Amino acid sequence: MFQYEKALQYPVKITRPNARLAKAIISQIGGPDGELGASMRYLNQRYTMPMRELQGILTDIGTEELGHLEMVSALVYQLTKGLTPEQLEAQGFTDYFVDHTTGIYPIAASGVPFSAATFQSTGDALTDLHEDLAAEQKARTTYDNLLRLADDPDVRDVIRFLREREIVHYQRFGEGLRLLQDQLVRSPQPENPYAYNTSFDPMPRRMNRMRNNM
Amino acid sequence: MAMQSRSLDKMERAELLRVVQMHQFAMQDLALYLDTHPTDETALEHFMQHKALCEQASKVFAARFGALKMEQTGTENGWAAWSNTPWPWDMEAN
């Protein structure tokens, strides 16, 4: 189960509303490399992970991504709060406003609504971990692009924190991949890492750290 | 520890919340590391230190400014200690 903690992971306190910037940042809610997709990717992939350590890292990073989703949502909420319809229009927010007013809705910066097609859960640990490594780098690039667009120091501070977390997660997934590879070299076919889908096929006993699905 | 308890009692809301968040963040970051390095005793020791400080600060915060977790809601302040204090996305909550 999940229990709510009534505090953001890192404070968000924006004093200068900026709907134009909010419209760019919203991509990290519902965009192709955003926090909603990140949390859903990891929390869905964890069930079929073949090692306890991998189930743990996906659960804990997936949970942190839910916290990041809340932080980015707080950013968009505060950046659009208290603006008049005229100000929202002048700041390029009309097309969002007409459907959602200033409510938080998961879309990309382009306006495309969130789609589960932006992430995978392949039921193959080796493939999923590679996707996870790529996902962290893609999110890091998005935050880098947001840093190129944002000049408000309060916003930049939050984006920098989130960007740094992508790099830490990339590191942890890399270690997770290494743990899996250390088991794959113990397989009866160490020269072929694709001989077994470690999330699906029964594992030989010598791969002693793997959960057996039989 | 006693001295720190006194200073937690005197902190403004935002400052005390920072103490909770700081230790909580240290715990989260160490937890990810421990997931892939479960036998690193130094990391586990750091985790336990931050856990103790986090629990202490969180308890003082809940008593003075309202619950951070539902389980911290007591009968003395009623349900409002959970539902009628600022929610995290509000600027004044930070």
Side-chain angles (χ1 to χ4, degrees):
Chain A
M1 73 182 283
F2 286 93
Q3 280 183 307
Y4 189 65
E5 179 92 20
K6 201 173 170 177
L8 297 179
Q9 189 192 21
Y10 186 85
V12 176
K13 207 175 175 99
I14 307 303
T15 50
R16 289 163 291 267
N18 183 339
R20 195 177 302 281
L21 188 53
K23 230 182 140 182
I25 290 172
I26 206 167
S27 232
Q28 278 304 89
I29 300 178
D33 305 305
E35 302 289 358
L36 178 57
S39 53
M40 292 303 105
R41 173 184 297 112
Y42 306 145
L43 293 176
N44 283 298
Q45 287 178 353
R46 66 192 170 134
Y47 298 95
T48 50
M49 280 289 150
M51 299 174 75
R52 299 287 186 205
E53 293 94 329
L54 300 176
Q55 295 175 340
I57 198 77
L58 282 162
T59 299
D60 291 340
I61 294 180
T63 302
E64 184 177 344
E65 306 291 16
L66 287 173
H68 294 172
L69 176 65
E70 186 181 40
M71 280 177 62
V72 180
S73 300
L75 267 179
V76 172
Y77 170 68
Q78 292 181 22
L79 280 168
T80 54
K81 194 164 186 275
L83 294 174
T84 64
E86 292 74 24
Q87 288 171 319
L88 288 165
E89 190 169 15
Q91 294 175 22
F93 208 70
T94 312
D95 43 2
Y96 187 91
F97 180 81
V98 70
D99 289 330
H100 310 293
T101 329
T102 54
I104 301 298
Y105 180 73
I107 60 168
S110 62
V112 175
F114 174 72
S115 167
T118 57
F119 67 87
Q120 249 290 28
S121 177
T122 66
D124 180 325
L126 196 62
T127 311
D128 280 352
L129 287 171
H130 279 91
E131 156 146 337
D132 302 342
L133 285 159
E136 296 295 335
Q137 290 297 341
K138 290 190 287 179
R140 195 266 307 154
T141 297
T142 310
Y143 283 126
D144 273 330
N145 287 340
L146 288 172
L147 285 171
R148 292 170 204 267
L149 296 171
D151 51 9
D152 183 334
D154 296 336
V155 174
R156 291 180 64 84
D157 183 53
V158 177
I159 302 289
R160 275 205 207 93
F161 172 87
L162 292 167
R163 175 189 177 278
E164 185 63 30
R165 298 308 293 159
E166 309 299 345
I167 296 167
V168 170
H169 293 171
Y170 178 79
Q171 179 68 27
R172 299 284 92 86
F173 281 133
E175 292 158 359
L177 181 59
R178 177 180 48 75
L179 288 171
L180 180 64
Q181 286 168 334
D182 286 349
Q183 287 299 303
L184 285 169
V185 297
R186 302 167 70 102
S187 93
Q189 296 180 60
E191 74 290 351
N192 179 10
Y194 309 119
Y196 294 89
N197 174 349
T198 54
S199 298
F200 184 73
D201 294 317
M203 288 297 109
R205 187 164 297 160
R206 72 174 86 177
M207 296 165 80
N208 57 349
R209 301 278 299 285
M210 313 292 285
R211 291 182 68 218
N212 209 318
N213 293 305
M214 288 295 278
Chain B
M1 286 301 244
M3 265 192 57
Q4 194 181 359
S5 297
R6 269 202 299 282
S7 70
L8 292 176
D9 289 335
K10 288 188 180 129
M11 284 179 186
E12 304 269 325
R13 185 188 180 282
E15 190 188 2
L16 182 53
L17 184 61
R18 284 309 163 270
V19 176
V20 177
Q21 285 170 312
M22 184 179 72
H23 291 302
Q24 201 155 48
F25 174 68
M27 286 166 66
Q28 285 176 325
D29 196 42
L30 284 160
L32 299 190
Y33 175 82
L34 282 161
D35 282 342
T36 53
H37 304 78
T39 57
D40 188 326
E41 285 178 20
T42 311
L44 185 59
E45 205 176 296
H46 285 303
F47 180 90
M48 295 311 289
Q49 283 167 0
H50 286 290
K51 180 171 180 272
L53 292 166
C54 184
E55 279 170 2
Q56 187 188 22
S58 181
K59 206 175 145 190
V60 176
F61 186 97
R64 294 181 58 200
F65 303 110
L68 291 170
K69 305 175 237 209
M70 205 182 272
E71 70 203 45
Q72 291 173 332
T73 306
T75 48
E76 67 273 17
N77 297 318
W79 195 251
W82 170 252
S83 63
N84 201 23
T85 56
W87 287 86
W89 49 90
D90 282 329
M91 198 163 60
E92 63 263 35
N94 292 276

